[in-house]
Amino acid sequence: MISAKIKELIQQYSNELIELRRKLHSEPELSWEEVKTTAFICDYLEQLGIPYRKTEPTGVIAEIKGGKPGKTVALRGDMDALSVEELNKDLPYTSKEEGKMHACGHDAHTAMLLIATKALNEIKDELTGNVRLLFQPAEEVAQGAKEMVKQGAMQGVDNVFGMHIWSQMPTNKIACQSGPSFAAADLFKVTFKGRGGHGAMPHDCIDAAIVASSFVMNVQTIVSRTVDTQSPAVVTVGKMDVGTRFNVIAENAVIEGTVRCFYPETRDYIEKQLQHYAESVANIYGATAIVEYTRGTQAVINEKVSAKLVQQVAIAAFGEDALYAEKPTMGGEDFSFFLEEAPGCFALVGSGNPEKDTEWAHHHGKFNIDEDALVTGAELYAQYAWAYLKTI
C-alpha cells in the first residue's frame, strides 16, 4: 500500500521542507502575480531534471514519467498569498511584503508538493505510471484551476489529488471523507434604485436605504424558511453601499454577498429566490432592482474510491489515530474544477497546535502552521500517488 522508501526520503528531506516553506512564506505573491514563485519552482524542477512547462501568466505543470507503463495521477498544490497584513512580526520568516501574507497555507502546499516531487523522482523507475504535478496560481480568486484546465493540465489524467493545511484540526490529523467537502461559492450583487431627495421631505422620495435594509433583513429567510433543512446553505451579505450624505435620502443602494451550498439544485433555487426577493422588496416601495449572480467555484465532492484510498494510505503511513472526522466546510476551493475532469479527492491535514499558537483561523493576520505537519502533508502527497498507481 505504501512505500517505505518514500517515508525514508521525506524524513530525510524534512529540514529542506521547512526551509522551502519559510522562504515561500517570507516572499508572498498575490493571485496572478506569482512570478517569482513560478520561477523558483521551475529552478527547483530543473535541478531535479524533471520536465515542466509554465502556464500563463503564472503556474507550472510538470510530470514524472514512471519506469513502467500505467495510469497518470495528478497532484495539485496552490501557491498564491492574500492581501493580509502579517501580524506575526516576531517570526524569523515573517512576510517581507507589506500588506501581503500567506494567511491560508499555500506556502506549505507548494513546499510539500516540491518535496513529494523530489521523493517520487528518486523512485521513478519503480512507478507504474506517471505523476502530473500541478503548481497552481490564483486559488484565492477561484480562477487558477479553471485556467490550468484550459491550458491542458488535466489532459490524460486519470485521477487527481489535492490537500489543504487546516488550522482547525490537530496537527498531523488527516480528514478525507467521501461526498461533499467544500461548498460551491458564488457571488451576488443587488442594485436598488429609488428616488433621492431632501432628508426633511421623505414623502417626495423612495428611500433606497429602506429598500436595501428590508432586503437584508428578509433575505436570510431564503435559507431558514424555504431551503430543505437537509441541504446546508449560507447566504451572507458582506457589503452595503448606500447614500452620499447625512441629509440626503439615498437614491441608490448596492449590496454584495455570497452564497455557499453543496448541491446543484439548492444552488439553482437560491439564485432564483434572490432575484424574486429583490424584485418583491423593490416593488413594495416603488423602487427597481437589478440582480447580478456570478457562479464561482463548484462544490468539492470527494469520489468514494479515491477518498477510501486516502484513508487507507493514511492508516498505513501514520496509524489508525491519524484519521479525523472533520465536517464539510462552507469554504470554497477551486480544486473542484480539476474534479470536473477526472475522479479524485481533496484531503485536510491538521496543523493546529495551541502550544505553538497555530490555531488561528485561515485568512487571519496571525495565521501560522505547526511545521510538524509539513512532513505529514508531503508524505501523503507522495504515498497517495504511489498507492494509486500500484493499486488502481
Side-chain angles (χ1 to χ4, degrees), residues 16-17 20-25 34 36-38 40-42 44-45 60 76-81 102 104-118 133-137 163-165 369 374 377-378 381:
E16 180 186 358
L17 175 53
L20 286 172
R21 182 260 165 171
R22 291 186 175 189
K23 174 180 171 57
L24 292 167
H25 186 89
E34 311 94 334
K36 292 181 180 178
T37 306
T38 295
F40 177 77
I41 292 168
C42 291
Y44 195 90
L45 294 170
V60 184
R76 177 270 210 161
D78 41 8
M79 64 170 76
D80 54 331
H102 271 293
C104 203
H106 297 186
D107 52 339
H109 303 164
T110 300
M112 293 187 302
L113 186 53
L114 284 172
I115 291 299
T117 298
K118 187 174 184 177
L133 307 156
L134 308 178
F135 295 92
Q136 184 207 310
M163 69 176 69
H164 208 299
I165 284 289
I369 69 166
L374 293 172
Y381 267 135

Side-chain angles (χ1 to χ4, degrees), residues 120-191:
L120 287 165
N121 192 54
E122 289 213 19
I123 61 164
K124 61 184 178 183
D125 291 342
E126 301 174 42
L127 294 176
T128 307
N130 309 314
V131 182
R132 182 80 51 85
L133 307 156
L134 308 178
F135 295 92
Q136 184 207 310
E139 189 280 329
E140 294 293 356
V141 292
Q143 297 173 8
K146 184 183 289 187
E147 187 57 39
M148 289 195 89
V149 169
K150 288 181 182 178
Q151 296 186 40
M154 293 295 289
Q155 289 180 3
V157 170
D158 299 290
N159 188 273
V160 60
F161 175 60
M163 69 176 69
H164 208 299
I165 284 289
W166 209 241
S167 64
Q168 282 75 51
M169 281 168 43
T171 299
N172 293 331
K173 296 294 186 181
I174 295 167
C176 189
Q177 287 83 27
S178 63
S181 176
F182 280 69
D186 298 339
L187 298 80
F188 66 87
K189 179 179 179 181
V190 182
T191 303

Side-chain angles (χ1 to χ4, degrees), residues 24-40:
L24 292 167
H25 186 89
S26 68
E27 301 173 356
E29 294 178 295
L30 303 182
S31 301
W32 296 131
E33 298 176 6
E34 311 94 334
V35 175
K36 292 181 180 178
T37 306
T38 295
F40 177 77

Side-chain angles (χ1 to χ4, degrees), residues 324-344:
Y324 192 86
E326 180 73 349
K327 295 178 181 178
T329 173
M330 284 294 175
E333 233 309 332
D334 76 348
F335 183 79
S336 55
F337 293 113
F338 295 125
L339 289 175
E340 290 185 330
E341 305 298 317

Side-chain angles (χ1 to χ4, degrees), residues 207-230:
D207 192 342
I210 297 297
V211 181
S213 298
S214 180
F215 174 79
V216 171
M217 293 300 293
N218 284 283
V219 74
Q220 292 302 325
T221 62
I222 293 177
V223 173
S224 66
R225 287 297 178 269
T226 72
V227 171
D228 185 341
T229 56
Q230 302 301 310

Side-chain angles (χ1 to χ4, degrees), residues 243-264:
T244 58
R245 183 178 162 84
F246 75 97
N247 65 345
V248 175
I249 288 178
E251 181 158 333
N252 301 297
V254 180
I255 290 170
E256 296 179 36
T258 185
V259 173
R260 309 294 176 104
C261 59
F262 294 115
Y263 304 114

